[in-house]
Amino acid sequence: MSARAGWFRRSDHVVLVGAFVGALLLLGLSSFTTLPFSSGPLGGVTPPERIDPFEAAQAGDCLNWARDDLADIGKVECSASHLFEVSGVVDISSEYGPQAPFPDAATWQTINADHCASESLKYLSNKLDPFGKYTVGPLNPGEKRWAAGKRTLRCGLQVAAPSGRLLPAYGSARTQDQSDVHDPGVCLGIQDNSIGDPVSCEEPHTFEIIGVVDLGAGNTRFPTEDEQEAVMTEKCDAIANEYSGGKVIKERGLLVTWDYRAQESWDAGSKLANCKVGALPNGTLLTAWTGSVHNPDAPPLTPSNPPQTSAVQQAEATGAPMHSEAPASESSAPSSPAPSSSTPPSSKENEEEGG
């Protein structure tokens, strides 16, 4: 019942040379986040610790917000749900003087590559998985602060969904396995014939995550793809039987599949891989399906984090997909993403109030 066809395989087993090259790939996939100038009500939600992130946040601080204009942004414990982990503070005033215009999206990409890549690599002790869940991006000060001469940025790490929306992170990136995995019970939608954001399993989706396998258990060296396949075949079949309660997967015409880890991911400490269930594609087109194969009589799922069935949308989502999930041949290599064509998201507070 396990599928081994190439269309199931992620592009993340393709090898790139050097962690820094991989990190640069992440830069084009980041969301550019603009700070607001005033806070607003949270509609009954307990607010995080109030700070001015632009003036006070330091490397190691985790920030969260619920409003798409970031007006409620504040500091939280990194063990709690958060959307941004500060990896460094940089001053770009020597390159962008008092008369420099507010950067457009392409310029923010340059700033990100020139400054936030190195800060984030240093923050992670040079272990950044180029195919992992974290992307690198800056908190930019917004046009009003920029006009007032503010040129100090907070670089940080985020988890972006394929749409560019942000997914909640739990725990510091410095101590987490960076593998791009989801908890069992998460279903991944469909977007332009590619894997989309996490959605409710009652909505059309490409895959349902059924389990997580630790490829590093009892294994200190990087396993070849054939060795990974042998492990994942055994583990995912067992997980599928337990998760579904028997024959439902085959009866629905679905197949069990899995992810692989690349050498660069392994070297960065990423050892986890997902088992998942999907439908055979229609030629080159992914096939969406609805519902869940989880056994309704089984004990409730106990994921390590709340299931990611939604993502946080900023005023303007500027991120590109974090990974290419389209079918790829084993010899294909990921291409460098194009910079976002939109400008960084800005809040109404930025337009209406001074900083």
Side-chain angles (χ1 to χ4, degrees):
M1 119 176 169
S2 300
R4 300 175 178 81
W7 74 273
F8 278 118
R9 296 182 177 180
R10 294 164 47 95
S11 60
D12 67 359
H13 70 284
V14 180
V15 173
L16 294 180
V17 178
F20 189 72
V21 174
L24 291 180
L25 281 178
L26 298 176
L27 300 175
L29 310 172
S30 306
S31 295
F32 298 111
T33 308
T34 300
L35 293 175
F37 281 86
S38 65
S39 61
L42 284 171
V45 177
T46 301
E49 177 188 343
R50 292 305 306 161
I51 64 168
D52 180 344
F54 185 75
E55 301 291 346
Q58 300 296 317
D61 288 343
C62 290
L63 307 176
N64 197 47
W65 57 89
R67 291 177 48 159
D68 62 6
D69 60 5
L70 281 72
D72 57 337
I73 190 171
K75 179 181 174 181
V76 298
E77 293 294 326
C78 289
S79 58
S81 173
H82 60 274
L83 298 175
F84 192 90
E85 180 173 351
V86 180
S87 58
V89 180
V90 297
D91 184 346
I92 60 172
S93 58
S94 62
E95 300 168 62
Y96 300 88
Q99 305 305 315
F102 185 74
D104 58 16
T107 305
W108 280 120
Q109 291 280 12
T110 300
I111 293 170
N112 200 13
D114 290 345
H115 298 283
C116 287
S118 58
E119 286 294 318
S120 296
L121 281 170
K122 180 172 64 176
Y123 180 74
L124 295 173
S125 301
N126 291 319
K127 290 187 178 295
L128 176 58
D129 182 351
F131 307 108
K133 61 184 177 182
Y134 292 106
T135 61
V136 177
L139 276 174
N140 77 65
E143 294 188 48
K144 295 287 187 179
R145 287 186 189 267
W146 185 274
K150 301 292 186 180
R151 298 294 188 271
T152 303
L153 309 177
R154 267 63 188 172
C155 297
L157 297 159
Q158 299 173 297
V159 180
S163 68
R165 298 182 181 186
L166 301 180
L167 295 173
Y170 298 85
S172 171
R174 288 182 292 187
T175 60
Q176 298 298 301
D177 185 301
Q178 298 178 31
S179 303
D180 182 26
V181 295
H182 296 275
D183 283 323
V186 172
C187 288
L188 303 176
I190 187 165
Q191 174 181 310
D192 299 328
N193 197 38
S194 294
I195 295 176
D197 291 7
V199 297
S200 166
C201 292
E202 298 309 310
E203 298 180 35
H205 55 273
T206 54
F207 293 105
E208 178 177 359
I209 305 301
I210 60 173
V212 179
V213 174
D214 183 358
L215 289 167
N219 191 15
T220 58
R221 65 170 181 82
F222 174 68
T224 66
E225 186 171 304
D226 287 342
E227 290 171 332
Q228 292 185 49
E229 182 162 336
V231 172
M232 297 301 286
T233 299
E234 178 183 357
K235 298 289 188 181
C236 291
D237 279 351
I239 288 172
N241 285 328
E242 180 178 356
Y243 184 92
S244 68
K247 302 178 181 179
V248 63
I249 295 175
K250 184 176 181 181
E251 290 172 351
R252 293 194 58 178
L254 302 171
L255 297 172
V256 178
T257 183
W258 47 82
D259 295 337
Y260 298 88
R261 292 281 75 87
Q263 177 80 63
E264 289 79 11
S265 298
W266 186 271
D267 292 344
S270 297
K271 309 293 175 65
L272 305 180
N274 271 142
C275 301
K276 53 194 180 183
V277 171
L280 280 173
N282 180 12
T284 60
L285 299 177
L286 289 176
T287 301
W289 53 290
T290 58
S292 171
V293 297
H294 185 239
N295 179 8
D297 298 323
L301 294 173
T302 55
S304 57
N305 303 312
Q308 295 172 321
T309 56
S310 62
V312 176
Q313 183 176 17
Q314 297 174 184
E316 295 181 39
T318 60
M322 187 165 70
H323 297 293
S324 172
E325 295 283 6
S329 66
E330 292 189 10
S331 61
S332 63
S335 58
S336 298
S340 169
S341 60
S342 60
T343 57
S346 59
S347 66
K348 291 182 179 180
E349 285 82 0
N350 285 346
E351 299 170 358
E352 298 172 359
E353 301 185 24

